[in-house]
């Protein structure tokens, strides 16, 4: 079948399956199958797909028609101009999260050799974007999910930032040393990672895009997120604060006096999060809206 006919029939099929932006999705998946860019699709619209190409296109269209995000099919998502590999073990990096990176970069101006940690690093997008922008920073990235950490480490290696970022499995900021997630408080060294637990302190920045959706709000989350993205990356207990609350407490302990906590928050969480920031422990509390005016980032300075 000719490329242009395959594309036209894919658009119809995705549209019928209620996939948003069917043309864009049909093109992205065809580019993925052919290993080509968009210009190729238009310059070679008469190209005859080989039987293998046609079969592969059919396969990925069938996956997309189930609602699976195209990023989990192609295995890639761009964030901060960098290419990240993704799998269903990690949240797909969102463009909104770039606001958090911008806020941290602004606050980090003039800070000499900033030490920072990204809590709930997922694909590693925040930690790696910051390491990329701040060549003298000392960067740590932690996640409770071992599978997510594997993806984050792979991204660090692909972006040649693996010597700059140290990854560690943690429950919020408490290191985990085995599969049962128990912490060995007497040990100060994680041999598999070569990281001293005592290094997780004296930070200039604790940064996080934590899970923040309440279980009761599950119906407000897009179906594809509910079905395909990791539950632990999205949901955080009955009020959505099961990670944010300990993060504020542990983040305070891990920061230097004058260090900054910077968090991405859900669209209706501003007051709840600001109320968790005790005025005796934090000052200079800032709420930064996104381009639509929705409160997106909360930053606060440790007193
Ligand atoms: C919203 S995702 C953010 C991923 C990535 N930072 C991003 O912005 O795309 C939240 C991440 O927090 C991790 N997470 C959930 N509970 C955690 C916990 N108790 N301690 C550490 N990480 C946790 C999840 O595995 C997930 O990778």
């Amino acid at each position: 079948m000719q490329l242009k006919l395959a594309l036209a029939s894919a658009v119809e099929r995705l549209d019928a399956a209620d996939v948003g932006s069917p043309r864009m999705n049909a093109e992205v998946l065809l580019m993925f199958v052919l290993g080509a860019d968009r210009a190729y699709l238009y310059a070679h619209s008469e190209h005859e797909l080989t039987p293998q190409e046609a079969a592969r296109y059919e396969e990925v269209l069938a996956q997309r028609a189930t609602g699976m995000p195209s990023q989990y099919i192609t295995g890639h998502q761009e964030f901060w101009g960098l290419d990240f590999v993704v799998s269903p073990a990690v949240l797909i990096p969102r463009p909104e999260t770039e606001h958090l990176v911008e806020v941290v970069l602004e606050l980090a101006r003039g800070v000499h050799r900033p030490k920072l940690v990204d809590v709930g690093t997922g694909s590693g997008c925040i930690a790696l974007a910051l390491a990329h922008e701040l060549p003298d920073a000392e960067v740590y990235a932690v996640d409770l999910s071992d599978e997510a950490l594997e993806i984050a480490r792979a991204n660090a290696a692909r972006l040649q930032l693996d010597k700059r970022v140290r990854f560690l499995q943690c429950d919020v900021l408490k290191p985990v040393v085995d599969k049962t997630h128990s912490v060995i408080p007497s040990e100060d060294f994680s041999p598999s990672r070569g990281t001293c637990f005592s290094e997780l302190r004296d930070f200039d920045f604790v940064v996080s895009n934590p899970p923040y959706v309440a279980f009761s709000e599950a119906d407000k989350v897009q179906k594809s997120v509910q079905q395909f993205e990791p539950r632990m990356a999205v949901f955080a207990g009955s009020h959505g604060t099961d990670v944010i609350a300990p993060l504020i407490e542990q983040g305070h302990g891990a920061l230097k006096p004058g260090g900054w906590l910077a968090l991405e928050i859900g669209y209706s969480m501003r007051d709840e999060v600001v109320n968790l920031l005790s005025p005796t422990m934090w000052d200079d509390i800032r709420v930064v809206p996104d381009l639509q005016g929705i409160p997106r980032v909360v930053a606060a300075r440790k007193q």
Side-chain angles (χ1 to χ4, degrees), residues 206-286:
V206 171
V207 181
S208 183
N209 173 18
Y212 51 64
V213 180
F215 292 144
S216 56
E217 305 240 292
D219 55 342
K220 300 203 178 101
V221 169
Q222 274 183 329
K223 229 167 97 193
S224 68
V225 175
Q226 284 201 47
Q227 254 185 298
F228 295 99
E229 304 215 40
R231 273 188 81 71
M232 72 185 280
V234 177
F235 295 101
S238 45
H239 294 99
T241 51
D242 275 16
V243 176
I244 288 185
L247 177 55
I248 289 175
E249 191 195 323
Q250 294 173 32
H252 191 272
L255 283 166
K256 289 175 182 165
W260 287 90
L261 175 72
L263 305 176
E264 178 169 326
I265 58 163
Y267 71 99
S268 60
M269 295 187 86
R270 180 188 47 198
D271 294 346
E272 203 167 358
V273 173
V274 169
N275 285 337
L276 289 169
L277 295 162
S278 155
T280 59
M281 298 166 85
W282 302 95
D283 59 23
D284 207 348
I285 297 170
R286 303 173 184 194

Side-chain angles (χ1 to χ4, degrees), residues 91 93 97 118-122 125-126 143-145 148 170-172 209-211 232-233 243:
L91 191 91
T97 303
D118 170 25
V119 181
T121 198
C125 60
I126 298 169
D143 204 291
L144 185 54
S145 160
C170 284
D171 185 352
V172 186
N209 173 18
M232 72 185 280
V243 176

Side-chain angles (χ1 to χ4, degrees), residues 82 127-129 131-132 155-167:
L82 304 169
L128 294 168
H132 177 75
N155 279 319
R158 293 179 77 246
L159 296 168
Q160 301 185 342
L161 290 166
D162 44 333
K163 304 261 184 316
R164 300 269 328 282
V165 182
R166 304 175 86 167
F167 295 94

Side-chain angles (χ1 to χ4, degrees), residues 97-118:
T97 303
E98 294 187 347
H99 286 290
L100 178 60
V101 174
E102 279 166 11
V103 167
V104 175
L105 289 177
E106 184 64 32
L107 293 169
R109 254 196 232 179
V111 180
H112 179 61
R113 292 176 55 83
K115 178 173 174 177
L116 53 95
V117 59
D118 170 25

Side-chain angles (χ1 to χ4, degrees), residues 46 84 87 194 239 242 252 294:
E46 323 264 288
F84 286 86
S87 81
H239 294 99
D242 275 16
H252 191 272
I294 299 169

